[in-house]
Amino acid sequence: MTENNVNQVSQAFSQEGALAKAIKGFSPRQAQTDMALDVAHAIDKQSSLIVEAGTGTGKTFAYLIPAFLSLNPKNPKKIVVSTGTKNLQEQLFHKDIPLIKKALASNAQVALLKGRANYLCNYRLAQYQDSRGQLDAQMLQDLVKVKTWANGTQSGDIGELVNVSEDSSIFPFVTSTLDNCLARDCPDYEACHLVRARQKASDADIIVVNHHLFFADMALKDTGFGELIPKAQVMIFDEAHQIGDIASEYFGEAFSSKQLVDLCTDVLQVHRSSLTDVKQLGLAAEKLQKTCQEFRLLFNYDPERGNWREKYKQAQFQQKFANLKIDLDFLYQVIKLCVSRNEAIDNCFDRAVNLLAQYDVMANVEAYGMSFWYETTPRSVVLHQTPLNVSEKFNTFVKESGAGWIFTSATLAVDNSFNHFAKHLGLQDAKQLLLDSPFDYQAQSQLVVPRYLPQANDKNRALKLAELAEPLIKASKGACFMLFTSYRVMHQVAEILAESIDNPLLVQGKMAKRKLLEQFVEQGDAVLLATASFWEGIDVRGDKLTCVIIDKLPFASPDDPLLQARCEDVRRQGGEPFTQIQLPQAVIALKQGVGRLIRDVSDRGVLVICDDRLVNKPYGETFLKSLPDMKRSRDINKAAKFLETLS
C-alpha cells in the first residue's frame, strides 16, 4: 500500500480530518483507524481480511472510508458491500453513505440492489387487476394502495409502501419470482423496475446488497446463468457471522410445494384469460394444487424443521411424494400441448421442466455429503438438499475472483480465535484482526448469573423466570428486553408477567418487528419479550434499554436436521461435534444477544443470563472469555440496586 494511501486513510480519521468536520462530537479511535488501514491494505493487495470489531469501534466507517478513497477515475473499480438484513442495507444507503460522500466530497455512484421479491412487477399487477375473484377483502384494499403507489413510484421498491403490512398476502401477486418472470419476453420489460435497478447497479461504483442476494447470484454464476451483481474488485461483508449458513443454503437445492402451487395459480390464470379451450389445463392444475395440500397435511400443524431422509422412509410420505410427481408430470404433458400459444404458458412449461428436475434431486435421498431436511410454513413444505461442506467451493470462488475480500462483524471470534468462521468458508489464509470494544464495560455494566433456577425442562421454570424478572423490571422502570430460545417459554412468561406487573408488555408475534421496536422506544417503560430474530441487528440506545435478560444459552436445537448432519460428518472424520460446531455457534449467538445492551459510550445496564452452566460446566469458561469484561455477580438484588441508580 502506497504511503499516500496510508496518509489519506489516517487523515480521514484524525482529529482534524474529514469525519471530524462532518460529524459533531467525533473523536478519533485507534481501533477504528487500525481497522481502516487493514481494510485499505486488503483492497490494495486484493487479499482477504477477517475483522471482529467490538461494539462501538465504528466498523461501518472503518470499511466505507477506505472503500471510497480507493476509487480512482483513472483506474475504475467496482465495490460490493453486502449486509445481513434489508434494514441495515437501507441504513447504509440512506444514512451512512450519504454522510461519507459529503465528508469526502466524493462523486462516486452508489446503487442499492435488493432481491426481485422487493420490486413491483407491472405485468403481474396488470394481470391481477383483471382477476380479482381470487382476492379477499383485505387483499383488495391492499391492491388499491399498491395501484395508487405504483402510479408515482420511481424505484418500484415495495419497501416504500408504509401503509401496507410487510406480510400482506397481496405481494406474491404483484411481484415476480425467478420462476414466473417472463424476462425479455415480458411486454413490460422496458419499464421493469428490477431491470432498471440492475442497470443502475451495473453503472455504479459501489453497490449495496444483502447476503441472500449475493449468494443467490453466486449460485447462479455457478450454474452458468447470467449474473445479477456485476463483477467487482472489492467484496465487503458486514454482519459476516451469518454468511456460513447462507452460503451452504445457496450451494444446495430447494424444492417447495409453494413453487408448485404458484405454477398452478399461473396456469389457471392463463387458462381463464386466454386458453379457455384447453379444459385439461384447469383440471390438471387444480389436481396438483389438491395434492400439494394433502402433502402439507402429512406434516405437523405447527411449523417445524426435520430430517427429510427419515420422513422419506415412511410409506405414507413416500406415497404422497410420488403422487406429487404423477400430478406434476400430468400438468407438464398438458402444458406441452399449448407451447408457443403465448409467453405466459411458455414460461409455465419451463418451470414445470425445472420442477421435475428438482423433484428428482429430493427423491435421491442417498446422495453423499449432503443433508436432506425439510421446513414447513402454515401452508407449504420446503425440501432442502444442503452440502455439509462449502469451504472448498467458497475458497475457489474467492481465489478465482482476484478481488479483495473483507469480512467483519462484532461477533466472529470464539475464545479469541477465528478458527470456526475461517474453517467453514475455507479462509484460513486470510489476515485476521481482533479489535476490542472501546466501551468501559466494568464501569458501564454488570453480568448476573442467578443461583437456584430450576432446570430448563422443569415445569416451574417459566414462573421462576418471571419472578426473577419482576424486581429488575421494577428497578429499571421497564426499559427491559427478555430474550428467549423458545416461543413456548416466552408465551408462558408473558402470561405470568401480564398478571403481576403494570408495565406495557410487548410480545413478539403480536405485531410486526419494526412496530414492536417503535412502541418499545416510544413507551419508555415497556418490557419486550422476543426470540431469536431480536438477538441481532437491534439498536436501542441510552436509558431506553437498561436491562437484558436471556433465558438460557442459545445452543441450537439438537433436532435441527442440518446441525445433526454436520455433527455426524464431523464424527465420521474423527472430530468432536460439540466443540467444533455446537459450542462455537452458541457462543456467537450469545455474543449477539449480549450486544443489545451497551450500544454507546454513555449506555449503562445489567445483563442477566439465567443459565448456571456458565459457571458450573467446563465450557462455560469459553462463553465467559468471549463476552465483554463486565462486573460479575450472582446476586439479583445487587443488580436491581445498580439499575435504580440509572433511572
Side-chain angles (χ1 to χ4, degrees):
M1 190 164 63
T2 64
E3 197 173 326
N4 183 38
N5 228 343
V6 172
N7 290 340
Q8 270 190 309
V9 173
S10 300
Q11 179 61 28
F13 290 94
S14 69
Q15 194 75 58
E16 295 80 33
L19 280 178
K21 287 174 183 152
I23 303 169
K24 198 176 172 188
F26 174 82
S27 57
R29 280 167 271 186
Q30 190 57 50
Q32 188 178 40
T33 309
D34 289 347
M35 176 174 168
L37 287 168
D38 272 11
V39 169
H41 185 269
I43 291 173
D44 189 48
K45 298 293 180 200
Q46 295 181 314
S47 57
S48 298
L49 169 70
I50 301 171
V51 188
E52 174 170 299
T55 314
T57 308
K59 63 183 163 65
T60 309
F61 288 179
Y63 63 71
L64 283 177
I65 295 265
F68 270 92
L69 289 174
S70 73
L71 295 169
N72 181 345
K74 291 178 188 166
N75 181 20
K77 62 163 63 94
K78 205 168 275 292
I79 297 170
V80 170
V81 179
S82 182
T83 70
T85 60
K86 283 185 285 194
N87 285 349
L88 189 54
Q89 220 183 330
E90 289 184 351
Q91 183 187 313
L92 275 175
F93 183 74
H94 295 296
K95 189 176 157 201
D96 299 330
I97 286 175
L99 194 153
I100 286 173
K101 271 187 79 169
K102 192 175 171 192
L104 298 176
S106 166
N107 57 5
Q109 293 297 303
V110 184
L112 177 68
L113 185 60
K114 296 181 182 177
R116 68 163 64 242
N118 294 280
Y119 296 98
L120 173 74
C121 172
N122 294 317
Y123 173 73
R124 287 177 69 77
L125 175 64
Q127 258 193 323
Y128 281 99
Q129 277 169 307
D130 303 331
S131 59
R132 294 168 166 214
Q134 298 177 51
L135 309 182
D136 61 30
Q138 182 59 55
M139 287 166 77
L140 280 170
Q141 277 181 30
D142 288 347
L143 181 64
V144 171
K145 290 173 184 170
V146 170
K147 275 172 61 184
T148 309
W149 162 77
N151 291 330
T153 181
Q154 293 296 304
S155 71
D157 182 344
I158 60 174
E160 296 172 356
L161 267 163
V162 288
N163 60 348
V164 178
S165 153
E166 282 175 22
D167 56 357
S168 167
S169 305
I170 197 63
F171 287 131
F173 290 90
V174 297
T175 57
S176 70
T177 64
L178 192 57
D179 290 337
N180 64 30
C181 173
L182 300 182
R184 290 184 184 276
D185 294 330
C186 179
D188 285 304
Y189 184 78
E190 294 305 319
C192 175
H193 293 296
L194 178 64
V195 171
R196 287 180 174 177
R198 288 189 184 161
Q199 190 51 53
K200 270 189 182 167
S202 140
D203 297 338
D205 303 301
I206 296 181
I207 312 157
V208 182
V209 300
N210 60 56
H211 301 335
H212 283 278
L213 180 59
F214 184 91
F215 284 101
D217 180 53
M218 201 163 154
L220 278 179
K221 290 192 183 97
D222 187 53
T223 51
F225 292 103
E227 56 189 34
L228 322 175
I229 302 166
K231 184 168 166 56
Q233 288 72 45
V234 183
M235 316 284 189
I236 301 172
F237 292 89
D238 198 344
E239 302 293 328
H241 61 279
Q242 300 175 3
I243 67 177
D245 285 343
I246 296 172
S248 298
E249 192 181 314
Y250 281 101
F251 287 147
E253 300 272 348
F255 173 84
S256 78
S257 62
K258 184 181 182 303
Q259 285 174 296
L260 297 175
V261 170
D262 286 350
L263 172 64
C264 295
T265 305
D266 290 346
V267 168
L268 287 166
Q269 170 69 22
V270 179
H271 170 56
R272 290 185 191 118
S273 58
S274 56
L275 298 180
T276 48
D277 57 315
V278 190
K279 271 196 179 158
Q280 289 282 36
L281 263 184
L283 295 171
E286 282 166 358
K287 187 161 190 320
L288 179 56
Q289 273 183 331
K290 186 166 178 291
T291 309
C292 286
Q293 286 171 348
E294 289 168 359
F295 184 60
R296 171 63 185 93
L297 288 170
L298 282 177
F299 295 83
N300 287 334
Y301 174 77
D302 290 324
E304 64 173 6
R305 300 172 87 181
N307 187 322
W308 173 235
R309 267 197 186 112
E310 297 298 319
K311 279 274 190 270
Y312 190 71
K313 287 175 187 167
Q314 298 174 32
Q316 78 262 38
F317 283 92
Q318 206 165 118
Q319 185 55 58
K320 278 280 187 277
F321 192 56
N323 292 351
L324 281 181
K325 171 82 177 266
I326 293 163
D327 291 348
L328 174 57
D329 197 54
F330 177 48
L331 180 61
Y332 157 78
Q333 299 293 348
V334 178
I335 298 172
K336 195 174 176 182
L337 300 173
C338 307
V339 165
S340 299
R341 287 189 59 178
N342 63 32
E343 284 95 350
I345 201 69
D346 287 358
N347 167 264
C348 291
F349 177 74
D350 293 340
R351 287 156 69 185
V353 171
N354 287 334
L355 284 164
L356 282 165
Q358 282 175 294
Y359 176 96
D360 289 340
V361 169
M362 297 308 158
N364 178 23
V365 293
E366 296 311 316
Y368 181 72
M370 297 287 174
S371 166
F372 283 86
W373 55 286
Y374 67 85
E375 57 185 333
T376 59
T377 69
R379 289 186 186 156
S380 65
V381 183
V382 189
L383 305 178
H384 295 271
Q385 180 218 55
T386 303
L388 296 175
N389 190 332
V390 297
S391 59
E392 201 173 316
K393 206 164 194 175
F394 190 76
N395 178 265
T396 303
F397 193 89
V398 168
K399 282 184 174 158
E400 288 177 356
S401 71
W405 292 69
I406 292 105
F407 304 89
T408 185
S409 169
T411 56
L412 287 175
V414 176
D415 198 2
N416 296 323
S417 163
F418 289 111
N419 188 44
H420 174 70
F421 176 78
K423 195 174 174 190
H424 190 72
L425 292 167
L427 295 170
Q428 287 94 328
D429 296 339
K431 183 176 180 188
Q432 301 178 352
L433 180 65
L434 185 58
L435 299 166
D436 288 334
S437 166
F439 299 150
D440 182 354
Y441 281 97
Q442 278 283 325
Q444 289 178 246
S445 61
Q446 281 189 12
L447 166 63
V448 183
V449 182
R451 287 191 175 93
Y452 314 126
L453 273 172
Q455 293 301 303
N457 54 1
D458 191 302
K459 64 180 191 304
N460 293 318
R461 172 91 179 166
L463 178 64
K464 290 296 176 193
L465 285 173
E467 286 174 355
L468 174 147
E470 283 172 33
L472 298 170
I473 292 167
K474 187 180 175 191
S476 62
K477 298 185 172 64
C480 176
F481 269 14
M482 292 190 76
L483 299 176
F484 296 87
T485 51
S486 98
Y487 279 98
R488 185 179 55 83
V489 178
M490 176 184 79
H491 287 303
Q492 287 173 343
V493 172
E495 276 179 32
I496 298 163
L497 287 178
E499 299 294 317
S500 61
I501 63 170
D502 297 327
N503 306 66
L505 277 186
L506 300 169
V507 183
Q508 184 183 347
K510 295 281 196 292
M511 60 186 87
K513 184 174 174 180
R514 193 164 35 178
K515 195 93 185 124
L516 270 178
L517 274 176
E518 279 170 15
Q519 289 210 9
F520 180 80
V521 172
E522 277 167 24
Q523 292 179 347
D525 63 341
V527 179
L528 189 146
L529 286 78
T531 63
S533 60
F534 276 78
W535 285 61
E536 56 181 280
I538 305 294
D539 193 3
V540 179
R541 292 173 185 247
D543 57 5
K544 299 285 183 192
L545 177 62
T546 56
C547 181
V548 172
I549 301 170
I550 291 175
D551 80 323
K552 66 182 177 89
L553 295 176
F555 284 105
S557 163
D559 298 335
D560 184 286
L562 191 51
L563 177 69
Q564 283 178 347
R566 283 191 181 139
C567 290
E568 188 51 45
D569 193 50
V570 166
R571 255 185 232 108
R572 270 202 299 268
Q573 294 170 40
E576 170 41 62
F578 181 77
T579 51
Q580 286 175 242
I581 297 177
Q582 290 159 287
L583 182 61
Q585 278 183 357
V587 169
I588 286 168
L590 183 67
K591 283 171 77 170
Q592 280 292 332
V594 170
R596 296 319 101 219
L597 183 65
I598 305 294
R599 308 293 299 167
D600 213 327
V601 186
S602 57
D603 283 4
R604 301 178 71 187
V606 165
L607 169 71
V608 185
I609 302 177
C610 305
D611 194 328
D612 56 12
R613 287 177 294 180
L614 263 180
V615 288
N616 63 21
K617 290 281 185 196
Y619 59 75
E621 196 56 33
T622 305
F623 281 99
L624 291 170
K625 279 186 190 165
S626 302
L627 294 180
D629 180 26
M630 299 174 161
K631 259 195 192 128
R632 293 182 199 168
S633 162
R634 304 210 64 184
D635 189 339
I636 289 292
N637 295 327
K638 265 190 190 169
K641 285 196 176 86
F642 179 67
L643 285 169
E644 280 165 7
T645 67
L646 308 184
S647 50

